[in-house]
Amino acid sequence: MRIATYRYEGHRQCGVVEGAVVRALPDGTSPLHAVGTRPVGDAVPLSDVRLLPPLEPPTVRDFVTFEEHVEGVRRSIDGAAGVPERWYAAPTFYFTNPYAVYGPHDDIPMPPGSAVLDFELEVAAVIGREGRDLTPEQALDHIVGYTILNDWSARDLQSAEMRVGLGPCKGKDTATTLGPYLVTADELEPYRDADGFLRLALTAAVNGEVVGTDLLSNMSWTFEEMATYASRGTWVRPGDVLGSGTCGNGGCLAELWGGCAADRSLRR
């Protein structure tokens, strides 16, 4: 199923997307509990609704699982080469702002004090039921679905902040885009390879021009391994979002800047 949260004729609703239309689920249905629920509304063209974030996450953990992205952004942000040795030890993440989540077609505000705003193409897993100290095998049953995540980043603020050694703060604080849909986990199971990765194509485009392509299966950790690490010594709960981190090969502009330092045309 593809689950959408949307506004139609002044009402916020949750519904099932079928082709180019959406059909409302019963009032009060959570997108996390939509599986098995039958639509009750008439088919409404998606062009007539405003798509909202598919869910309102209580927490958003953003990982960094694509090695090529790490290498490219380090060159751009820090001027450093290679990948930190510690990166290979665990699927590291940081918490970003759950109060600054936007829908797939919403305008994004420019972060105050920034002149270099960047997108970051990611896929996120969504936790469907609580768990603690999960194994990867257990975590598989705790993931209810997946969505697209765009981790908007003020690169100039990020570069200054990370010199402190604590990580990004206001450089990541203004906006995260989710959606358009929450795709239930069963829909993607046919794309799972023998190592547990989802073999799906990722494409980043700016104004219709493709700037990056990658495979989701190029992650260095599976979503189940990410959920295991997130739940170590603590709880993950329904609605928690686990971002894959930005894909490689042009998943963000900073990666391209790092690989092509002489060409700054994409900064415009």
Side-chain angles (χ1 to χ4, degrees), residues 56-64 92-102 111 117-118 120 122-125 148-155 158 161 166-178 239-246:
E56 295 180 340
T59 67
V60 181
R61 293 171 175 87
D62 203 6
F63 290 74
V64 55
T92 307
F93 65 88
Y94 70 94
F95 282 98
T96 192
N97 190 350
Y99 304 120
V101 174
Y102 287 80
L117 182 61
D118 197 1
E120 301 201 48
E122 308 187 22
V123 173
I148 302 297
L149 187 153
N150 187 342
D151 169 33
W152 295 95
S153 300
R155 294 301 188 189
Q158 178 187 359
E161 289 171 341
L166 187 60
C169 178
K170 298 307 289 186
K172 302 278 192 175
D173 206 32
T174 302
T176 297
T177 297
L178 294 179
D240 286 352
V241 165
L242 311 180
S244 65
T246 307

Side-chain angles (χ1 to χ4, degrees), residues 28-98:
T29 301
S30 164
L32 303 178
H33 303 106
V35 176
T37 305
R38 296 178 63 86
V40 296
D42 295 331
V44 176
L46 285 168
S47 57
D48 291 347
V49 309
R50 178 194 169 198
L51 290 173
L52 304 173
L55 72 154
E56 295 180 340
T59 67
V60 181
R61 293 171 175 87
D62 203 6
F63 290 74
V64 55
T65 69
F66 288 87
E67 184 175 10
E68 185 175 359
H69 169 73
V70 176
E71 186 173 14
V73 170
R74 281 194 87 205
R75 285 196 301 267
S76 175
I77 301 297
D78 300 330
V83 176
E85 187 64 30
R86 182 63 190 172
W87 179 83
Y88 298 98
T92 307
F93 65 88
Y94 70 94
F95 282 98
T96 192
N97 190 350

Side-chain angles (χ1 to χ4, degrees), residues 155-215:
R155 294 301 188 189
D156 41 0
L157 302 183
Q158 178 187 359
S159 179
E161 289 171 341
M162 293 190 70
R163 292 174 188 151
V164 177
L166 187 60
C169 178
K170 298 307 289 186
K172 302 278 192 175
D173 206 32
T174 302
T176 297
T177 297
L178 294 179
Y181 313 122
L182 174 64
V183 180
T184 55
D186 61 301
E187 288 280 343
L188 299 188
E189 276 305 304
Y191 302 96
R192 189 178 295 275
D193 66 21
D195 296 317
F197 294 95
L198 299 174
R199 191 170 178 81
L200 297 168
L202 303 174
T203 302
V206 178
N207 297 329
E209 179 183 351
V210 174
V211 298
T213 60
D214 202 354
L215 289 174

